[in-house]
Amino acid sequence: MSLTRNTKNVPYYILGAGAFARLGDFIDERRHGGGAALFCVDHYFQDKEALRDLPAKDGDIVVFVDTSKEPAVEYVDALSDGVKARLQGRPPCCVVGMGGGATLDVAKAVANLLSNPGKAEEYQGWELVKNPAPYKIGVPTLSGTGAECSRTCVLTNEKRKLKLGMNSDYTVYDQLVLDPSLTVSVPRDQFFFTGMDTYMHCFESLRGAYRNVIVDRLSLCAMDMCRDIFLGQEDMMSEANRENMMVASYLGGMAAGNTGLVHPLSAGLSIVLHLPHGRANCYALSVLGDFYPEEHAAFTQMLAKNRISLPKGICANLSEEQYDALHQGTIVHEKPLSNALGPDFKNILGKERLTSMFKAM
Ligand code: NAD
Ligand code: ZN
């Protein structure tokens, strides 16, 4: 095995129903400096009961994250400017991200901008964040992206036509509160689509050229768990399976990073048609049977067993410019494409072949 990168994981987690009740203790441990706690909460919870249990004290700042669209750099800039004005130069004692992948990512990005000058897009890339972010606590309410334990926070940048995160050890959460009771209200389709993100990250990594024994083992384990959740006897959203999905997301998140063919096609769909990540991944895999026959077959079974539908024709009647943009939005992802197909990926995935794949979705 070749030498791995020096790898950072989340140092603390607490897992199980009831974990959310401990959030206040974890925040209180950080309050000694006197700064406010900043809560970035998915807007879904704005008028929900779980919010009453949010351990916010007088002077703390609660912002609701609009997740109707995938997070964009301008959105993160505006949010962090607003928070900075309210903090009046005093660093927060900690930043809490509570929600699905989008909210967990927004909280990570805002935290980086609280201790680093300039705009979000200046940090899209690798190792660009120079100063450590404030202490961060992640509270996932939807499982699958692995955003709770990854070292990135994916942001769209329309101007540059890309989706790219702030890849940095400073982006990693310091503490996770993994409470499966928070996922009970997730709509079934959403649970499936986001859960599938774990499955995809893991098989794309295992089928790729860039390998690492630890990542392989984590991926195999997370995929096994996904097969049990989505093809086993119990309902995919039973209490036990919601906890299993939280664990699979966490394990898969530690393995994510070396994607293959699904994520580039998915990114093209998100940039051009604004399709959300999990659903876009599923459309991508639906036409990748030639490349991933086993995983495609299992995925088709999972869709059927859980009665999830992917209506056909989403790219049937687009303009030539849109097909061009889909091609560009896919082919720009050189690292994952060469991981999957080798250096010849541009010839293997020519415009014609890609366009016919999009038309088949
Ligand atoms: P999401 O965060 O966009 O949320 C999807 C929907 O589910 C939203 O409407 C939200 O309000 C709702 N929701 C969340 N929790 C809920 C709950 N408990 N009950 C009811 N509704 C709830 O979805 P996602 O699939 O978790 O995240 C997708 C995002 O994650 C994308 O922006 C993608 O780029 C990003 N991502 C990040 C990483 C990473 O490593 N940082 C990896 C993969 C994907
Ligand atoms: Zn993903």
Side-chain angles (χ1 to χ4, degrees):
M1 188 175 115
S2 57
L3 190 65
T4 68
R5 184 171 54 77
N6 192 20
T7 301
K8 181 180 176 190
N9 288 322
V10 176
Y12 291 98
Y13 65 80
I14 180 167
L15 166 72
F20 185 55
R22 296 287 308 280
L23 176 60
D25 299 341
F26 299 136
I27 298 172
D28 287 346
E29 283 168 20
R30 318 302 309 176
R31 288 197 189 269
H32 41 74
L38 166 64
F39 296 82
C40 300
V41 181
D42 188 309
H43 67 165
Y44 166 82
F45 290 102
Q46 200 152 2
D47 52 1
K48 299 293 182 299
E49 201 165 320
L51 202 67
R52 263 180 263 149
D53 300 328
L54 199 72
K57 294 192 171 161
D58 280 353
D60 285 348
I61 300 174
V62 180
V63 293
F64 292 101
V65 177
D66 178 358
T67 53
S68 55
K69 283 195 266 171
E70 303 225 306
V73 282
E74 295 83 2
Y75 180 74
V76 166
D77 288 336
L79 208 60
S80 53
D81 286 348
V83 167
K84 274 187 215 159
R86 290 174 69 180
L87 285 167
Q88 297 179 328
R90 202 165 189 201
C93 68
C94 67
V95 175
V96 178
M98 177 175 170
T103 305
L104 294 172
D105 278 1
V106 166
K108 294 197 239 184
V110 167
N112 281 341
L113 289 180
L114 292 180
S115 51
N116 291 273
K119 304 240 172 251
E121 70 170 2
E122 292 167 46
Y123 301 101
Q124 282 185 296
W126 284 265
E127 321 314 335
L128 301 172
V129 182
K130 296 294 175 243
N131 305 312
Y135 192 88
K136 291 190 296 297
I137 305 177
V139 187
T141 66
L142 171 58
S143 311
T145 63
E148 64 275 28
C149 55
S150 72
R151 70 191 300 273
T152 190
C153 49
V154 185
L155 304 176
T156 57
N157 186 326
E158 282 282 340
K159 253 189 333 205
R160 290 166 62 193
K161 294 270 168 255
L162 51 78
K163 271 181 86 170
L164 186 60
M166 303 174 178
N167 292 267
S168 162
D169 282 352
Y170 295 139
T171 305
V172 177
Y173 277 104
D174 299 287
Q175 165 83 55
L176 293 177
V177 173
L178 303 173
D179 188 334
S181 57
L182 294 172
T183 67
V184 71
S185 53
V186 175
R188 290 182 71 80
D189 275 24
Q190 186 69 58
F191 185 87
F192 181 88
F193 291 134
T194 300
M196 278 296 108
D197 202 16
T198 293
Y199 187 68
M200 314 248 183
H201 289 151
C202 293
F203 80 70
E204 285 177 279
S205 172
L206 286 164
R207 296 280 179 217
Y210 316 136
R211 303 290 286 280
N212 159 336
V213 179
I214 294 176
V215 165
D216 282 5
R217 291 288 160 171
L218 286 167
S219 298
L220 286 168
C221 179
M223 281 184 75
D224 253 358
M225 294 186 78
C226 288
R227 275 187 288 263
D228 287 347
I229 294 163
F230 295 104
L231 290 175
Q233 298 290 313
E234 264 188 48
D235 182 72
M236 66 172 178
M237 286 191 73
S238 70
E239 206 177 321
N241 274 343
R242 283 186 292 101
E243 176 160 315
N244 289 336
M245 193 59 241
M246 208 159 238
V247 174
S249 176
Y250 173 72
L251 298 177
M254 282 192 279
N258 290 328
T259 56
L261 279 168
V262 175
H263 275 72
L265 268 77
S266 167
L269 289 169
S270 290
I271 286 283
V272 179
L273 302 178
H274 303 290
L275 223 54
H277 183 67
R279 187 180 288 263
N281 286 344
C282 289
Y283 272 106
L285 180 57
S286 74
V287 298
L288 287 168
D290 287 351
F291 297 94
Y292 301 118
E294 271 173 47
E295 294 80 4
H296 177 268
F299 165 69
T300 309
Q301 270 181 296
M302 291 178 193
L303 277 172
K305 164 152 197 277
N306 299 292
R307 299 201 182 85
I308 306 292
S309 72
L310 277 182
K312 285 250 175 225
I314 53 158
C315 298
N317 298 306
L318 304 182
S319 65
E320 259 331 291
E321 290 82 63
Q322 283 176 304
Y323 288 123
D324 270 344
L326 281 171
H327 176 242
Q328 278 311 318
T330 302
I331 216 78
V332 69
H333 297 279
E334 299 196 357
K335 195 169 165 254
L337 291 172
S338 58
N339 181 35
L341 299 173
D344 201 26
F345 71 87
K346 280 194 181 137
N347 292 325
I348 302 171
L349 278 188
K351 163 104 197 279
E352 229 169 277
R353 185 168 191 189
L354 259 183
T355 303
S356 70
M357 283 159 71
F358 281 115
K359 284 184 176 169
M361 288 177 184

